[in-house]
Structure formats: structure tokens, C-alpha cells
Amino acid sequence: VREFPLLPRQRCAFVFVAASAPLVTVSARLPWPLVAAILLLTLALLTGLGALEARAGVLWPRAAKTVWGNGLGGAILVLQLLFAAVYLWQLALATDSAFPEQQTLPFVPLTLLAVCALAAGRGRETCVRAVGVLFLFLVALYGAVFAFAAPDVELSRLTVLPAGGDLLPLGVVALLPFFSVALPSSQGKIRLPVLWMLAFVLLPTAAAAFCAAVPGSRGSLYDMAKSVEVFSVARRIEPLVSCGLTIGWFAALCLTAVFAGAAAQGLGLSFRTGAVGVCVPAALGSFVDIALPPGLLLSVGAVFCVLLPILTQGIVCRKKGVKKAKKGVDKG
Amino acid sequence: VRPVSFLLAILALCALAGVIPFSAGELSRVIPAELLVVSAADGGVLVQVDSGTAAWGADVPEALETLSRAAPGSLLLSTVDRLVFCGLLPEAEELLDCGLRPAAAVFLSPEPEDPEALRKYLRNVGGVTLGILADAPQTPLPRLIQGQSGLYLDEEWLS
């Protein structure tokens, strides 16, 4: 497996495309200010983690063993790998939502997992480059859908927020960007350019706002696209939305597989073993349509993908700070 | 064997075995409907499209299913642009679930007129859409009125 340093914008494009489909699907049913607030919080945590990694100078899988030792650090990485496998299974089942009018299980998850395994087996760079090409197409596609849906928007409906809405699924899919710790950039940092990451907040917020403001959307971007007319001559552009969602789900599967590959590397296995290995149980799981409770996924994911990396990097930074201070005292 | 060839071979096998969940259709047999008339008849629902096909069912989903089967080709209900209700007001959510577009304009009619004539008459008239009706079922709908020379739309809606 060849490994190349990645440009920060390549990583951002990957995270944006990977998060697009799950976030758009879940956010469309929720009040748009709430979506924006939760995603901004996610962005703040992600930026904080990036800043800590940059200061620590040690990337996540290695940092786990450096701080917690081989035993505990290894156990954390094993659990993280297991979580990635379960998360990949749940993502694979959710790919069905790209085609709401057909029952596509297990054909679509199996196809996407096969292509994902093919890309992930060739290393991080193949996934990032493949998704980088799809990124341009995805931006044009969502841009066109929102632009042509704009005449149907009733601004007064934006102020009437849908009551309730389950926030837990949004929390679960908001974990996806944290998997980008497995994508070190050319400087060995995971810092993400803020402007790029704002797009990650804007797309789901726009999806939620458009679904609220276009009558008959019923909390689904696919249904919203049914109302869209292109210059009063073309209709039925919802297959384009399906296409965009399929691209997004594929990227989400790739990012999760890459995350699993990095955890496997931390355990001394090859990247390929981890990245392709997690696709196998997920493919078998595509025949078992069971949605795990989002609360369970969120709590486990928050511990292993957000809290532990932040805590670990915080400890590395603190140790580094103490060492520097000691050196300063010695010199003085 | 290269992984790509292996993947393509599996996909080809799936296609041959009919596992692929997307149905193929002949383009020449596609009938895109533009107007749908839904009327109460014989204790059930009668549905007619502008292409001339009609079907009866106990409720709207059943009638639409029968209509799709009775059509001489693949009837596309997702292209319906105008909906005329006659003697009943079906639930908009139910119609959306049947694949009708939320942007389809809805009208009320006192009697089931010829769908082809209605299509020509209502071609350039907008109004309340199925999506609006789904969100606010109490929305007043444009009414067709019986005149001496046939149905015509209330002037309030024409303006």
C-alpha cells in the first residue's frame, strides 16, 4: 500500500462528501437552527482536537499507546476497531435511504461496500482521490437542486419550526468527521481549514431549511426534489438527489473503513487488514436489517472517537509542556 | 483475478439473477400522465388519467394500483401535474405516498369531466399544490363551476 501525504483541502473534501449523505438524510427532518447549532458544536470540537494534535505532534493511534501504554492503549484501539465495524454495518444499512421508492437491501449496501473495500484496500490516498473527484460533481449537484428549488421556497415557513424531532441520529452521524483523525496531512497535522469546514455545516442546514420551506417535502430532500422544476421544462430531478446521496454514502463507508485501517495500524496490523477487514462483517450484516439504538451508538462513539482522542492529546500536550518547562528551568 | 474484474463479474451475475432491485422498462411503452381525476363512484373511488385509462378501487391507493395495471404500458403517475377531485377530498398524504408530485396543482370539480378536456383547460392555471394541501388540509381549493358550455374555473382563481 502506497502512502502519500494529503493536502488539507483533500482531507476537507473527503470529510465534507463523507458527512454529506448521512447529515442531509438526518437533518432534513429537524429544525434548521438546531441542526446548525449542533454541527457548529461538532466543528468546534473537531477544531479543538485538530489544534491539540498539532501541538502534541503525535497522531491518534500512536498517541493512544504513548499515553495509555501498550495494554490499555491496545485495548482502546481494539474497541475502536470494533466500533468502526459496527458503525460501518449501520451505515451500510442506511445506504438504502438513497432510493426511498425501492427496497434495495442488500444489493446497494453490498455494491457500495465492495467498491469501498476495493478503494480502501489500496490505501488512504485512493479513497481520498476518488472522493476528491466526486466532490466537484456533488457540489454542482446539490447547488443545482437548491438553486432550482429556491422559487418554491416559502420564507414564512422557515420561522415555523417542526416540533420535537429526534436529535440522537444527528449526534450519531456527527461522529463521522472525527474519523478524519485517520487522515494525517502533509505536515502531520489534522487541522482543518475553517472555511472548508463551514461548508460541512451549511449543506445539512440548507437541506433542513429547504425541506421546511418547500411545501410537501415531508422531511426528505428526495421528496423536496419532486417539487423542483428546471426552467419549467424539466421535472423529476429526484434521481439526481439519489445519485448525490449514493456518492455521499460511498464516501462515508470509505472514511469509516480508513478509520478502521488506522486503528489496525495502531495495533501493529496492516492498514489493509483493518480497512478491508471491517467491510466483511458489514457486508454480512447487510442481510440483517437491524437498526441499533442511536443512543447506544452515540454514547460509545462519543467516548472512543471524541472524548478519548481529546483527552489523550490533552495529556500528550501537558506532558510536552512540562518537559519544555523543565528544560527551560535547567537552562536557566 | 483483478478485484475490479471480480466485482464486475459479481454485478453481472446479480443482473442475470434478477437480484438488482431496479426494474427495467421499455421507453416506448412509457405513458406519462399529466392530469388525474379522482371521483367518488359506487361507494369507492374512480380514477382517470388524460391518456384515457380509468380504474375503480375501494380506496385511492387501490384504485391507482389498478390503474397502473390497466394501462396499456408503464403509466407514470409521478408526472401528474393537475389533480381534479370530484365529490370527495382524499388525504393528500395518501396521494403523496402513491408517488404523486407535491407540486401537482389541485382543483375541485362538481362532476367528472373528460380528463383530456380538463388537461387542455387547466394547462396554464396554477393554484394550491398537493404539498400545500398535505401541510394545511383546510386550505381552500380552486373550484370548477358548471356553466352552459361546460366547466370553467372560478374567476377568483383565474386572476
Side-chain angles (χ1 to χ4, degrees):
Chain A
V1 177
R2 292 186 304 165
E3 292 294 351
F4 291 88
L6 306 168
L7 295 172
R9 60 172 179 268
Q10 279 182 305
R11 301 174 61 253
C12 288
F14 192 12
V15 174
F16 172 78
V17 178
S20 65
L23 283 176
V24 160
T25 306
V26 172
S27 307
R29 290 188 282 268
L30 297 171
W32 64 270
L34 208 55
V35 171
I38 289 175
L39 293 181
L40 280 172
L41 178 69
T42 307
L43 194 58
L45 282 171
L46 196 62
T47 313
L49 177 61
L52 280 174
E53 284 225 10
R55 272 184 62 193
V58 191
L59 292 175
W60 162 247
R62 222 175 67 199
K65 283 194 169 176
T66 312
V67 171
W68 306 106
N70 276 343
L72 192 55
I76 289 170
L77 290 177
V78 167
L79 289 172
Q80 202 175 45
L81 190 61
L82 285 175
F83 173 74
V86 173
Y87 198 87
L88 192 70
W89 168 44
Q90 292 294 299
L91 278 182
L93 288 176
T95 55
D96 185 44
S97 64
F99 304 94
E101 287 173 8
Q102 267 102 13
Q103 172 61 39
T104 60
L105 287 174
F107 179 76
V108 169
L110 283 178
T111 311
L112 290 180
L113 279 169
V115 183
C116 162
L118 200 70
R122 287 169 163 264
R124 294 179 176 90
E125 199 214 4
T126 306
C127 292
V128 173
R129 289 201 171 193
V131 174
V133 173
L134 295 171
F135 165 79
L136 297 172
F137 180 67
L138 196 80
V139 167
L141 196 147
Y142 279 124
V145 169
F146 288 136
F148 289 119
D152 294 325
V153 166
E154 290 180 14
L155 288 174
S156 60
R157 295 168 66 99
L158 281 175
T159 52
V160 186
L161 301 176
D166 192 1
L167 290 178
L168 289 176
L170 180 62
V172 175
V173 294
L175 292 172
L176 255 172
F178 291 94
F179 294 176
S180 64
V181 289
L183 298 165
S185 66
S186 48
Q187 294 86 33
K189 296 173 184 173
I190 73 146
R191 199 167 55 214
L192 300 168
V194 174
L195 267 178
W196 275 82
M197 291 317 290
L198 276 180
F200 148 83
V201 179
L202 277 179
L203 175 67
T205 308
F210 271 80
C211 285
V214 176
S217 299
R218 303 197 294 171
S220 153
L221 197 66
Y222 185 88
D223 279 345
M224 191 220 55
K226 283 182 175 176
S227 302
V228 175
E229 282 189 16
V230 182
F231 301 123
S232 301
V233 289
R235 287 171 195 147
R236 299 201 70 200
I237 64 161
E238 58 270 20
L240 285 180
V241 173
S242 284
C243 188
L245 290 174
T246 309
I247 290 171
W249 285 115
F250 162 69
L253 296 178
C254 281
L255 184 57
T256 313
V258 164
F259 178 63
Q265 266 184 328
L267 288 165
L269 302 167
S270 71
F271 175 84
R272 192 177 188 162
T273 308
V276 179
V278 285
C279 293
V280 177
L284 293 174
S286 301
F287 293 93
V288 189
D289 188 8
I290 299 172
L292 293 179
L296 177 74
L297 281 173
L298 179 59
S299 46
V300 176
V303 169
F304 286 100
C305 304
V306 186
L307 296 178
L308 270 175
I310 288 177
L311 181 68
T312 308
Q313 296 296 1
I315 292 172
V316 174
C317 286
R318 194 172 163 75
K319 278 183 178 174
K320 233 180 164 181
V322 170
K323 270 185 187 174
K324 266 189 181 174
K326 266 188 179 178
K327 270 185 185 176
V329 170
D330 289 347
K331 275 184 183 174
Chain B
V1 183
R2 286 171 65 87
V4 177
S5 323
F6 183 67
L7 187 64
L8 288 175
I10 288 179
L11 282 175
L13 277 176
C14 283
L16 287 173
V19 178
I20 292 179
F22 306 103
S23 55
E26 198 185 320
L27 200 60
S28 61
R29 287 177 56 79
V30 170
I31 307 166
E34 278 187 57
L35 182 131
L36 176 74
V37 179
V38 183
S39 48
D42 303 332
V45 178
L46 180 73
V47 286
Q48 298 165 270
V49 282
D50 53 315
S51 58
T53 315
W56 184 89
D59 51 24
V60 176
E62 190 190 311
L64 289 176
E65 208 181 311
T66 314
L67 184 75
S68 298
R69 278 202 305 269
S74 315
L75 183 67
L76 285 186
L77 287 174
S78 54
T79 50
V80 168
D81 221 13
R82 302 282 183 267
L83 273 165
V84 180
F85 297 147
C86 178
L88 81 168
L89 187 61
E91 277 191 25
E93 284 285 343
E94 200 175 46
L95 290 164
L96 289 172
D97 287 339
C98 292
L100 290 163
R101 291 178 68 228
V106 182
F107 301 90
L108 291 178
S109 169
E111 56 187 73
E113 183 74 10
D114 171 32
E116 178 58 21
L118 279 174
R119 183 186 69 82
K120 283 179 182 162
Y121 179 63
L122 296 173
R123 185 183 289 163
N124 298 315
V125 188
V128 179
T129 65
L130 196 57
I132 294 173
L133 197 62
D135 291 342
Q138 303 303 322
T139 313
L141 295 173
R143 280 178 185 277
L144 290 158
I145 300 166
Q146 185 67 56
Q148 283 182 342
S149 56
L151 292 171
Y152 68 93
L153 198 64
D154 197 340
E155 276 183 19
E156 176 197 344
W157 292 97
L158 281 171
S159 57

